């Protein structure tokens, strides 16, 4: 019996829903798995069931799964405890792997964020920063592997349940698990004619396609519609039925890739690589004002997004 612990940190809960999305496949796994800690399903308290313990405690497990990045000191503490108690640790979802959407906040320092949220927003009544009974914020959003060692990465926003099943099955059978180092474009069935004959357009503006027919859909970038497929790791389209064509998830819905699977390789530079990919189809990425945020939308931790130094006017 393999013991599994799961924790959620700075998240929306979508990755936990993906675990439940395994549906009957999860029932097939249950005879071999024992969930010993999982806040989304189980009422296991950190300091004993009635608060009788003085130290945060998570049960020992063979496999630990963490969704979400780290935004406050409580999340850092929970992450360190998970690492201590779990033999194998999985970063589950783009937030855990690379900071995810919340790491867009890394473009600002904490004081500026608090000022914006509690005093400088037109929809908020001005107030002091909350300070009672809440853990202090960390200086930025961290991916899990910036705080502790991670053994296995399952990216996606949210994750594809098929990949969770594959990873858990590999762990149960003692086999290695890794997603291939290829791009979303490598699995994309759209038509490519090499050069764009239009300029950059707004998302899905005048998109040309016939519903249900991918082979009539022209590459989004060639249509002038920004697609992060060239710099994004593939795998999101995996199906239980291996016979089916593996079309990337967004392309399957006739939408461009937003980059949620993160970089193809750990040391890749998606901002630079995306500028090159766009210029290779004849588009000028410099015309995109917020390209720093757009090209790093899911991967702002691991020092990919930082506050820019204030320019001194002369
Ligand atoms: S990766 Fe996406 S779905 Fe998962 S917790 Fe983060 S925001 Fe939610
Ligand atoms: S850029 Fe997008 S639409 Fe074009 S081939 Fe790559 S994934 Fe497909
Ligand atoms: S196509 Fe891109 S954004 Fe969509 S699920 Fe796949 S990796 Fe994520």
């Amino acid at each position: 019996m393999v013991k599994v612990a799961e924790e959620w940190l700075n998240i929306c809960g979508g990755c936990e829903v993906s675990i439940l999305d395994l549906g009957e496949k999860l029932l097939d796994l249950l005879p071999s798995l024992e969930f010993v800690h999982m806040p989304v399903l189980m009422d296991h308290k950190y300091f004993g069931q009635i608060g009788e313990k003085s130290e945060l405690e998570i049960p020992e497990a063979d496999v630990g799964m963490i969704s979400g990045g780290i935004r406050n000191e409580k999340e850092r503490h929970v992450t360190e405890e998970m690492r201590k108690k779990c033999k194998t640790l999985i970063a589950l979802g783009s937030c855990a792997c690379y900071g995810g959407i919340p790491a867009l906040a890394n473009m600002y320092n904490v004081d500026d964020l608090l000022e914006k949220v509690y005093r400088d927003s037109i929809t908020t009544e001005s107030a002091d920063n909350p300070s009672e009974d809440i853990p202090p914020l960390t200086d930025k959003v961290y991916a899990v592997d910036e705080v502790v060692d991670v053994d296995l990465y399952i990216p996606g926003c949210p994750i594809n349940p098929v990949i969770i099943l594959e990873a858990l099955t590999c762990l149960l059978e003692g086999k290695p698990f890794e997603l291939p180092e290829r791009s979303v474009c490598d699995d994309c069935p759209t038509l490519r004619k090499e050069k764009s004959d239009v300029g950059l357009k707004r998302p899905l503006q005048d998109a040309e396609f016939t519903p249900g027919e991918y082979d009539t859909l022209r590459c989004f970038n060639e249509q002038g519609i920004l697609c992060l497929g060239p710099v994004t790791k593939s795998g999101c389209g995996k199906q239980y039925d291996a016979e089916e064509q593996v079309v990337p998830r967004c392309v399957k819905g006739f939408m461009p890739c937003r980059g949620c699977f993160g970089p193809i390789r750990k040391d890749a530079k998606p901002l630079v690589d995306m500028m090159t990919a766009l210029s290779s189809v004849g588009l000028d990425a410099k015309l995109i004002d917020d390209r720093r945020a757009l090209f790093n939308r899911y991967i702002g931790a691991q020092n990919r997004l930082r506050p820019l130094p204030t320019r001194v006017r002369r």
Side-chain angles (χ1 to χ4, degrees):
M1 183 72 76
V2 172
K3 291 186 176 173
V4 180
E6 200 267 353
E7 259 296 344
W8 50 3
L9 308 175
N10 190 27
I11 47 106
C12 75
C15 285
E16 278 67 27
V17 174
S18 286
I19 298 175
L20 301 181
D21 248 5
L22 280 166
E24 291 184 3
K25 306 273 183 195
L26 184 58
L27 297 182
D28 294 341
L29 281 180
L30 282 184
S32 321
L33 300 180
E34 182 191 356
F35 285 95
V36 293
H37 174 81
M38 190 173 191
V40 73
L41 287 181
M42 301 161 66
D43 184 22
H44 178 263
K45 305 280 195 294
Y46 293 132
F47 295 92
Q49 283 308 97
I50 53 168
E52 74 279 16
K53 300 203 170 152
S54 56
E55 299 280 319
L56 182 147
E57 200 177 86
I58 288 174
E60 296 209 346
D62 300 295
V63 178
M65 301 192 282
I66 294 183
S67 69
I70 292 140
R71 171 79 276 187
N72 64 39
E73 292 301 337
K74 175 219 148 192
E75 290 162 356
R76 186 197 293 275
H77 195 168
V78 167
T79 304
E80 287 166 352
E81 182 67 8
M82 282 287 282
R83 181 65 276 185
K84 265 191 235 156
K85 294 296 175 64
C86 303
K87 289 182 195 149
T88 299
L89 193 62
I90 303 176
L92 203 66
S94 307
C95 292
C97 293
Y98 320 111
I101 294 283
L104 281 170
N106 287 354
M107 291 197 295
Y108 307 94
N109 65 43
V110 172
D111 287 342
D112 288 346
L113 288 172
L114 291 170
E115 194 60 31
K116 182 75 184 173
V117 171
Y118 291 105
R119 287 169 290 283
D120 198 22
S121 155
I122 52 169
T123 57
T124 309
E125 276 186 34
S126 188
D128 292 337
N129 298 339
S131 56
E132 270 181 44
D133 299 328
I134 55 166
L137 295 180
T138 43
D139 58 337
K140 58 179 184 164
V141 176
Y142 290 89
V144 173
D145 69 359
E146 292 181 280
V147 172
V148 297
D149 288 339
V150 166
D151 302 302
L152 207 145
Y153 297 82
I154 305 183
C157 181
I159 328 151
N160 178 346
V162 182
I163 302 179
I164 305 178
L165 181 71
E166 199 177 303
L168 285 177
T169 308
C170 283
L171 285 172
L172 285 171
E173 294 173 356
K175 293 181 187 158
F177 170 83
E178 217 170 322
L179 289 169
E181 280 193 2
R182 60 171 194 268
S183 76
V184 169
C185 292
D186 291 331
D187 286 340
C188 180
T190 57
L191 286 174
R192 274 159 266 190
K193 299 179 187 167
E194 310 227 318
K195 287 284 173 202
S196 168
D197 37 26
V198 288
L200 278 162
K201 296 195 275 193
R202 292 182 63 76
L204 291 186
Q205 182 194 341
D206 305 328
E208 298 161 23
F209 66 89
T210 310
E213 295 179 25
Y214 306 114
D215 50 1
T216 64
L217 174 67
R218 188 167 174 204
C219 165
F220 282 109
N221 280 336
E222 291 186 17
Q223 292 191 51
I225 296 166
L226 194 65
C227 178
L228 267 66
V231 297
T232 303
K233 196 177 190 69
S234 188
C236 61
K238 278 191 177 225
Q239 305 278 337
Y240 289 125
D241 177 2
E243 301 287 307
E244 253 186 80
Q245 189 186 10
V246 180
V247 180
R249 262 174 152 184
C250 295
V251 177
K252 199 167 185 178
F254 295 93
M255 294 285 290
C257 172
R258 300 155 295 129
C260 83
F261 256 53
I264 300 163
R265 276 173 295 283
K266 202 168 174 163
D267 55 354
K269 295 188 169 45
L271 177 63
V272 180
D273 295 344
M274 193 61 209
M275 306 252 306
T276 311
L278 288 181
S279 80
S280 73
V281 291
L283 295 172
D284 184 1
K286 294 206 184 84
L287 296 176
I288 306 168
D289 283 341
D290 55 353
R291 57 185 181 275
R292 197 163 72 101
L294 219 50
F295 297 166
N296 290 293
R297 189 164 18 182
Y298 290 92
I299 55 170
Q302 293 149 335
N303 283 326
R304 284 203 169 87
L305 282 178
R306 280 176 273 208
L308 287 178
T310 317
R311 279 193 194 151
V312 181
R313 288 183 189 276
R314 291 171 194 268

